[in-house]
Structure formats: C-alpha cells, structure tokens
Amino acid sequence: MFDFAPPADLPAEERYRQLADAADALTQGEPDGVANMANLAALIWEFIPDLNWAGFYRVVDGELVLGPFIGRPACIRIPMGKGVCGTAAQTGETQRIEDVHAFPGHIACDAQSQSELVVPIVRDGKVVAVIDLDSPKPARFTEDDANGVEQLAARIGSRI
Ligand code: SME
C-alpha cells in the first residue's frame, strides 16, 4: 500500500517538495510510462487540493493524445497550438490560466473547470507530454503552484 497523502495545512512549497519526492519514489525502477503516469495522476490528485481534472497529454506523431488522468472523460486528441494544452506543448512554456473562459481557443472538457495550469514535460530538449490540471475555482493556481508542478515535471521527464 502507498500512503503519501500530505496534511491539509501543509504550505505550498513543502507540499510540492513532498509531491516531487513521492513521485520519484513511486516511479523509481518502473520502466512502463503508462503505469507511471497513472500513478502520478493519482498522486497529484491526492497532493493538490481543489482539482476536478488532473492528468497527462502525450505528444504522439505531432499532436497531443490523452494519457492517464483522474476526472471526467476528456477530449482525446488536441492539435499542437490549440487550447491551453496545445499552447503549452507548442511553446514549451507553462500556461497558468486564471479564467479559462477568457483564454482564446480554450477546449472545454468539463463545464465545471474555471482555471487551469498546464506544464510541459521536456525530455532530450523536446516536449514529450504536458501535465494538465483543472480547477472548479477561478484563479486557483498561483505562481507557487506553477513552480511546484514545473519541479515535478523536471523530476518525472525520464519516467513517462
Ligand atoms: N482545457 C484543455 C483541454 C483538456 S481538458 O481540460 C482535460 C485545453 O484547453 O487544452
């Protein structure tokens, strides 16, 4: 049994440090990327409060394809440059969106989503996937969240 759940009142910096350490421990020695992404989605769900969707889109043959996630069923394929995920994948830059309805081209997968954080995962200098987090709360994601998920992405790039 894995029990990584953090206390509710843990400050963001420590919460993300523990998340990255738990992610490292959970994927250590496991070569199957799908298994690792599935466990990582579950881990993110336990560590980051106020989410309604958490998971991965992978770059496959020049487009994003849905990977393991927690949340409602989602759109399967996203062209590079489209939506929040496609923008993060194409630019290689984190997209921290306070109001998804104000983002041109936002792709709505769950009508409850109000804010979104998408962080590219880079391997050998290329974006290979993105971590996508949605929240039903407006402006849920702070700079601390973006930095924390970027640290996580850096730790797991070789494991997915
Ligand atoms: N909102 C994303 C699509 C993926 S879902 O949020 C799971 C986007 O605009 O790319």
Side-chain angles (χ1 to χ4, degrees), residues 53 57 66 72 74-75 78 82-87 100 103 105-110 113 116 118 132 134:
W53 204 92
Y57 279 90
L66 182 63
R72 302 193 75 180
C75 43
I78 299 177
K82 299 289 180 193
V84 185
C85 292
T87 300
V100 294
F103 185 93
H106 166 252
I107 300 164
C109 292
D110 181 340
S113 298
E116 184 160 4
V118 182
D132 180 18
D134 285 28

Short mmCIF file of all heavy atoms in Angstrom, two decimals, residues 53 57 66 72 74-75 78 82-87 100 103 105-110 113 116 118 132 134, ligand 1:
data_model
loop_
_atom_site.label_atom_id
_atom_site.label_comp_id
_atom_site.label_asym_id
_atom_site.label_seq_id
_atom_site.Cartn_x
_atom_site.Cartn_y
_atom_site.Cartn_z
N TRP A 53 -9.81 17.89 -12.50
CA TRP A 53 -9.18 17.05 -13.53
C TRP A 53 -7.67 17.15 -13.34
O TRP A 53 -7.14 18.24 -13.11
CB TRP A 53 -9.56 17.55 -14.93
CG TRP A 53 -9.46 16.52 -16.01
CD1 TRP A 53 -10.47 15.70 -16.44
CD2 TRP A 53 -8.31 16.18 -16.80
NE1 TRP A 53 -10.00 14.88 -17.44
CE2 TRP A 53 -8.70 15.15 -17.69
CE3 TRP A 53 -6.99 16.64 -16.84
CZ2 TRP A 53 -7.80 14.58 -18.60
CZ3 TRP A 53 -6.10 16.08 -17.74
CH2 TRP A 53 -6.52 15.05 -18.61
N TYR A 57 -1.37 14.68 -21.18
CA TYR A 57 -1.49 14.54 -22.64
C TYR A 57 -0.07 14.31 -23.16
O TYR A 57 0.86 15.00 -22.75
CB TYR A 57 -2.09 15.79 -23.28
CG TYR A 57 -3.59 15.85 -23.18
CD1 TYR A 57 -4.21 16.46 -22.10
CD2 TYR A 57 -4.39 15.31 -24.18
CE1 TYR A 57 -5.60 16.51 -22.01
CE2 TYR A 57 -5.78 15.35 -24.09
CZ TYR A 57 -6.37 15.95 -23.01
OH TYR A 57 -7.74 15.99 -22.93
N LEU A 66 -4.55 12.01 -25.31
CA LEU A 66 -4.91 11.83 -23.90
C LEU A 66 -4.13 10.69 -23.27
O LEU A 66 -3.98 9.61 -23.86
CB LEU A 66 -6.42 11.54 -23.82
CG LEU A 66 -7.03 11.37 -22.44
CD1 LEU A 66 -6.92 12.67 -21.63
CD2 LEU A 66 -8.51 10.95 -22.58
N ARG A 72 -13.31 13.65 -15.20
CA ARG A 72 -14.31 13.24 -16.17
C ARG A 72 -13.66 12.90 -17.50
O ARG A 72 -12.59 13.42 -17.82
CB ARG A 72 -15.32 14.37 -16.36
CG ARG A 72 -15.99 14.77 -15.06
CD ARG A 72 -17.19 15.64 -15.28
NE ARG A 72 -18.30 14.83 -15.75
CZ ARG A 72 -19.50 15.31 -16.05
NH1 ARG A 72 -19.74 16.59 -15.96
NH2 ARG A 72 -20.45 14.51 -16.46
N ALA A 74 -12.37 13.00 -21.15
CA ALA A 74 -11.88 14.24 -21.76
C ALA A 74 -11.65 14.06 -23.26
O ALA A 74 -11.61 12.93 -23.76
CB ALA A 74 -10.58 14.65 -21.08
N CYS A 75 -11.46 15.19 -23.95
CA CYS A 75 -11.17 15.12 -25.39
C CYS A 75 -9.87 14.34 -25.59
O CYS A 75 -8.94 14.44 -24.78
CB CYS A 75 -11.10 16.49 -26.01
SG CYS A 75 -10.21 17.68 -25.04
N ILE A 78 -5.65 16.67 -29.23
CA ILE A 78 -5.58 18.13 -29.28
C ILE A 78 -4.44 18.50 -30.22
O ILE A 78 -3.29 18.09 -30.00
CB ILE A 78 -5.32 18.72 -27.87
CG1 ILE A 78 -6.46 18.35 -26.91
CG2 ILE A 78 -5.15 20.23 -27.96
CD1 ILE A 78 -6.25 18.82 -25.47
N LYS A 82 -3.28 24.35 -30.16
CA LYS A 82 -4.70 24.58 -29.86
C LYS A 82 -4.97 24.41 -28.36
O LYS A 82 -4.40 23.53 -27.71
CB LYS A 82 -5.59 23.59 -30.62
CG LYS A 82 -5.46 23.69 -32.12
CD LYS A 82 -6.09 24.97 -32.64
CE LYS A 82 -5.97 25.06 -34.15
NZ LYS A 82 -6.28 26.38 -34.69
N GLY A 83 -5.90 25.22 -27.86
CA GLY A 83 -6.28 25.12 -26.46
C GLY A 83 -5.11 25.45 -25.53
O GLY A 83 -4.03 25.85 -25.98
N VAL A 84 -5.36 25.28 -24.25
CA VAL A 84 -4.32 25.58 -23.26
C VAL A 84 -3.20 24.53 -23.35
O VAL A 84 -2.01 24.85 -23.33
CB VAL A 84 -4.91 25.62 -21.83
CG1 VAL A 84 -3.86 26.05 -20.84
CG2 VAL A 84 -6.11 26.57 -21.77
N CYS A 85 -3.60 23.27 -23.52
CA CYS A 85 -2.61 22.19 -23.57
C CYS A 85 -1.74 22.30 -24.82
O CYS A 85 -0.50 22.19 -24.76
CB CYS A 85 -3.32 20.83 -23.55
SG CYS A 85 -4.11 20.47 -21.98
N GLY A 86 -2.39 22.52 -25.97
CA GLY A 86 -1.63 22.62 -27.23
C GLY A 86 -0.71 23.82 -27.25
O GLY A 86 0.37 23.78 -27.85
N THR A 87 -1.12 24.89 -26.58
CA THR A 87 -0.27 26.09 -26.49
C THR A 87 0.97 25.80 -25.64
O THR A 87 2.09 26.15 -26.01
CB THR A 87 -1.07 27.28 -25.89
OG1 THR A 87 -2.20 27.53 -26.75
CG2 THR A 87 -0.22 28.52 -25.78
N VAL A 100 -10.46 30.31 -17.58
CA VAL A 100 -10.37 29.57 -18.86
C VAL A 100 -11.32 30.16 -19.91
O VAL A 100 -11.04 30.06 -21.11
CB VAL A 100 -10.68 28.06 -18.68
CG1 VAL A 100 -9.60 27.40 -17.84
CG2 VAL A 100 -12.05 27.82 -18.09
N PHE A 103 -9.60 32.57 -22.18
CA PHE A 103 -8.46 32.09 -22.97
C PHE A 103 -8.96 31.76 -24.38
O PHE A 103 -9.81 30.88 -24.55
CB PHE A 103 -7.85 30.85 -22.33
CG PHE A 103 -6.60 30.37 -23.02
CD1 PHE A 103 -5.34 30.78 -22.58
CD2 PHE A 103 -6.67 29.50 -24.10
CE1 PHE A 103 -4.19 30.34 -23.22
CE2 PHE A 103 -5.52 29.05 -24.74
CZ PHE A 103 -4.28 29.48 -24.29
N GLY A 105 -9.67 30.02 -27.56
CA GLY A 105 -9.46 28.65 -28.03
C GLY A 105 -9.44 27.60 -26.93
O GLY A 105 -9.14 26.43 -27.19
N HIS A 106 -9.74 28.03 -25.71
CA HIS A 106 -9.79 27.03 -24.62
C HIS A 106 -10.73 25.88 -25.02
O HIS A 106 -11.82 26.11 -25.55
CB HIS A 106 -10.31 27.69 -23.33
CG HIS A 106 -10.70 26.71 -22.28
ND1 HIS A 106 -12.02 26.45 -21.94
CD2 HIS A 106 -9.95 25.90 -21.50
CE1 HIS A 106 -12.05 25.54 -20.99
NE2 HIS A 106 -10.81 25.19 -20.70
N ILE A 107 -10.29 24.65 -24.74
CA ILE A 107 -11.10 23.48 -25.08
C ILE A 107 -11.76 23.00 -23.78
O ILE A 107 -11.08 22.58 -22.85
CB ILE A 107 -10.21 22.36 -25.67
CG1 ILE A 107 -9.53 22.87 -26.94
CG2 ILE A 107 -11.05 21.12 -25.96
CD1 ILE A 107 -8.36 22.02 -27.41
N ALA A 108 -13.08 23.11 -23.74
CA ALA A 108 -13.81 22.75 -22.51
C ALA A 108 -14.09 21.24 -22.51
O ALA A 108 -14.76 20.72 -23.40
CB ALA A 108 -15.11 23.52 -22.42
N CYS A 109 -13.51 20.55 -21.53
CA CYS A 109 -13.76 19.11 -21.39
C CYS A 109 -14.73 18.86 -20.25
O CYS A 109 -15.46 17.88 -20.24
CB CYS A 109 -12.46 18.37 -21.15
SG CYS A 109 -11.38 18.38 -22.59
N ASP A 110 -14.71 19.72 -19.25
CA ASP A 110 -15.61 19.60 -18.10
C ASP A 110 -16.13 21.02 -17.84
O ASP A 110 -15.34 21.93 -17.58
CB ASP A 110 -14.82 19.06 -16.90
CG ASP A 110 -15.69 18.90 -15.65
OD1 ASP A 110 -16.77 19.53 -15.58
OD2 ASP A 110 -15.27 18.15 -14.76
N SER A 113 -14.81 23.36 -15.04
CA SER A 113 -13.46 23.95 -14.98
C SER A 113 -13.52 25.46 -15.12
O SER A 113 -14.16 25.98 -16.04
CB SER A 113 -12.59 23.37 -16.10
OG SER A 113 -12.44 21.99 -15.93
N GLU A 116 -6.95 26.80 -14.98
CA GLU A 116 -6.18 25.67 -15.50
C GLU A 116 -4.69 25.97 -15.43
O GLU A 116 -4.27 27.12 -15.59
CB GLU A 116 -6.61 25.43 -16.96
CG GLU A 116 -5.98 24.22 -17.62
CD GLU A 116 -6.77 23.75 -18.84
OE1 GLU A 116 -7.76 24.42 -19.22
OE2 GLU A 116 -6.39 22.72 -19.43
N VAL A 118 -1.15 24.22 -17.07
CA VAL A 118 -0.58 23.20 -17.95
C VAL A 118 0.94 23.40 -18.01
O VAL A 118 1.42 24.50 -18.32
CB VAL A 118 -1.18 23.25 -19.37
CG1 VAL A 118 -0.58 22.14 -20.23
CG2 VAL A 118 -2.70 23.13 -19.33
N ASP A 132 -1.70 18.43 -17.11
CA ASP A 132 -2.83 19.35 -17.19
C ASP A 132 -3.63 19.26 -15.88
O ASP A 132 -4.04 18.16 -15.48
CB ASP A 132 -3.72 18.95 -18.37
CG ASP A 132 -4.93 19.87 -18.53
OD1 ASP A 132 -4.92 20.98 -17.97
OD2 ASP A 132 -5.88 19.46 -19.23
N ASP A 134 -6.97 21.03 -13.89
CA ASP A 134 -8.14 21.92 -13.98
C ASP A 134 -8.72 22.08 -12.59
O ASP A 134 -8.71 21.14 -11.78
CB ASP A 134 -9.24 21.29 -14.85
CG ASP A 134 -8.92 21.35 -16.33
OD1 ASP A 134 -7.73 21.36 -16.68
OD2 ASP A 134 -9.87 21.37 -17.13
N1 SME B 1 -8.82 22.55 -21.35
C1 SME B 1 -7.78 21.88 -22.12
C2 SME B 1 -8.29 20.59 -22.69
C3 SME B 1 -8.04 19.40 -21.83
S1 SME B 1 -9.13 19.27 -20.55
O1 SME B 1 -9.03 20.45 -19.68
C4 SME B 1 -8.89 17.90 -19.70
C5 SME B 1 -7.27 22.81 -23.22
O2 SME B 1 -7.84 23.86 -23.46
O3 SME B 1 -6.29 22.43 -23.86
#
